[in-house]
Structure formats: structure tokens, C-alpha cells
Amino acid sequence: MRVALIEDNLALRSSLADFLSVKGHQVHEVGEAIEFYQLLRSQKFDVAVVDINLPDYDGFSITRYLTSKQHCAVIITSVREALEDRVKGYEAGADIYMTKPVDPEELVAAIEMIGRRFNAERKGEETPPPETGEGWRVDNDRRCLCAPNGELAPLTAREVRLLRALAEKDRNILNRRDVENLIGEDGQISRGSLDTFLSRLRAKVRDKTGLELPLATNRNLGFSFLAPIDTQ
């Protein structure tokens, strides 16, 4: 992964950069937002690890820029533990909010989780899902998903709600907020929890049916089902 590490604490920045490099990631480290914006003129990154408290612009503004202008995931790191700061971070577009002191192993695990998600998205974009047989079908009575090859994958109530909503969209985008309302408790679910929910659904369908679930992520927009899907 191409990682940008934006941290004004030199000792911490150097320590994390060394650890990430040892784990095989390409790391560019900077101590100020201005320096980072200058770096973006010549570099692109898969993920940015952003401290909130920086000398010039704060980490929230960097996060908003990256998620709106760049295809770059963001991990916020901060000593701020208050709920309002976490909410502000996720509203700015952060994928993960981690409080300091950050454990290097956990940071690496988070970066590699994001890498697996990116690879899955790219694979979905490059390889259109097969549209054979009768297509996909949500069986409400048995609460399962029937794949085009006839194999079945059991579904939870939240998964049924999501797939039914996607079927109603008929391959158009279902926005992220609607998805959060469908599967979150009182409409509240973090970006990281949503990604985990979708990853588990994809993995379960793959394991039970042998087929990839044609569920596409349209970053910052929402989700769409790229094949015919019926409900009953």
C-alpha cells in the first residue's frame, strides 16, 4: 500500500514509518498539511494516516479533501477521545478513527484491511459478474439468497433488508445513508462497521455459492447490485 503519514511529532512519525516500511508498505512521511498538499502534486496514495492536531490545517480538513477529491482512504489518529471528535472524523469521511497511543500492529492491520477492500473493489470493476440462469433471488420465507447456479446462502434480517432495497433500485445506486439506516441500530453505524458487514456478506455468499456477490461499492456515493435480482 502507498501510505502517507501526516504527523507533526517527529519521533512518533519516524517510528511508525519505520514499522510500516518493515511490513512492506511504501511510506511518505510529512509533518505539516502544507507539505502534504505539495506532495500530492506528484504522488498518489492508497491510504493516509492523518493526525488531527497539525501546525497549519487540521486533520479534519485534510480528510474532507482526500475523500472528496482523491481515491484515498483515511485513518485518523488523535489524542482526542470524545465522541463528538469521533463523529466529526467520520462525518469528514474517515474510514477509521484511532486514539493515541496507536499500536503499530493495529495500524498495520487497519491498513491491510483497507488494502483488501480496495482489491475487492478493483476486481469487481474489472470482472463483470456472470448473469446466467435466472439471476439472483432473495427468498424472504427461507431468508436466503439463491444464486444463479442454484446454490443458497443464508441471510440475516439485516442482509435481507439490504438486498431487497438493492433489488428495488434495479442496478442503480443506493446511497450510503439509506444503507446505514437499513442495517444500523437507529440508523447509526460507523464506516468501518459497514465495511465489515459488507465484507462478511460477500465472503459468506462466496463460501456458500462459489460465486462472487455482484455488489459494487461506489466510493462516497453508495452501493449497487450489478446483476438481475428478484425478491419473493
Side-chain angles (χ1 to χ4, degrees):
M1 295 285 282
R2 297 165 297 179
V3 181
L5 180 57
I6 308 143
E7 168 63 61
D8 65 335
N9 184 313
L10 178 58
L12 175 59
R13 187 173 76 237
S14 298
S15 175
L16 290 176
D18 288 344
F19 192 85
L20 293 173
S21 297
V22 167
K23 293 296 184 177
H25 301 290
Q26 302 173 32
V27 184
H28 283 77
E29 50 177 303
V30 296
E32 298 179 354
I34 293 296
E35 188 180 357
F36 175 61
Y37 286 128
Q38 292 172 341
L39 185 62
L40 285 177
R41 296 175 181 174
S42 59
Q43 301 286 339
K44 289 187 178 297
F45 299 98
D46 299 307
V47 58
V49 180
V50 183
D51 181 30
I52 290 179
N53 298 319
L54 295 169
D56 36 30
Y57 299 98
D58 67 25
F60 295 127
S61 63
I62 294 175
T63 300
R64 283 190 292 270
Y65 177 82
L66 289 175
T67 55
S68 64
K69 303 294 185 182
Q70 305 271 331
H71 187 70
C72 179
V74 176
I75 299 174
I76 285 180
T77 61
S78 177
V79 295
R80 302 186 192 179
E81 299 181 349
L83 176 60
E84 61 183 309
D85 291 313
R86 291 174 175 274
V87 170
K88 188 175 179 180
Y90 287 119
E91 288 178 343
D95 294 80
I96 299 172
Y97 190 109
M98 303 178 71
T99 54
K100 293 179 179 178
V102 174
D103 186 286
E105 290 282 2
E106 184 180 3
L107 181 60
V108 167
I111 289 171
E112 292 179 352
M113 179 275 291
I114 290 171
R116 291 192 295 272
R117 188 187 75 199
F118 277 11
N119 288 335
E121 290 177 6
R122 289 165 184 159
K123 183 177 179 180
E125 292 170 358
E126 295 168 0
T127 308
E131 297 184 8
T132 58
E134 298 180 353
W136 299 79
R137 188 177 74 257
V138 179
D139 189 322
N140 298 305
D141 294 333
R142 291 187 291 174
R143 208 160 76 178
C144 65
L145 179 66
C146 181
N149 60 6
E151 298 294 332
L152 301 177
L155 299 173
T156 66
R158 295 195 302 169
E159 290 166 347
V160 168
R161 290 199 299 270
L162 173 62
L163 291 172
R164 285 180 60 85
L166 288 166
E168 292 174 1
K169 282 292 183 179
D170 190 21
R171 308 196 211 189
N172 291 318
I173 293 175
L174 179 66
N175 71 57
R176 179 175 286 273
R177 174 56 64 186
D178 287 340
V179 172
E180 292 171 351
N181 289 334
L182 282 168
I183 68 175
E185 295 182 6
D186 298 324
Q188 299 295 317
I189 185 171
S190 70
R191 183 183 290 261
S193 296
L194 176 56
D195 290 338
T196 299
F197 173 86
L198 295 175
S199 294
R200 288 175 177 170
L201 174 58
R202 290 186 176 103
K204 176 169 60 175
V205 171
R206 185 187 310 117
D207 178 61
K208 297 297 184 180
T209 71
L211 298 179
E212 291 293 334
L213 186 70
L215 174 60
T217 300
N218 302 273
R219 188 168 179 79
N220 296 323
L221 294 176
F223 307 90
S224 56
F225 204 86
L226 302 180
I229 178 170
D230 294 323
T231 60
Q232 67 175 45

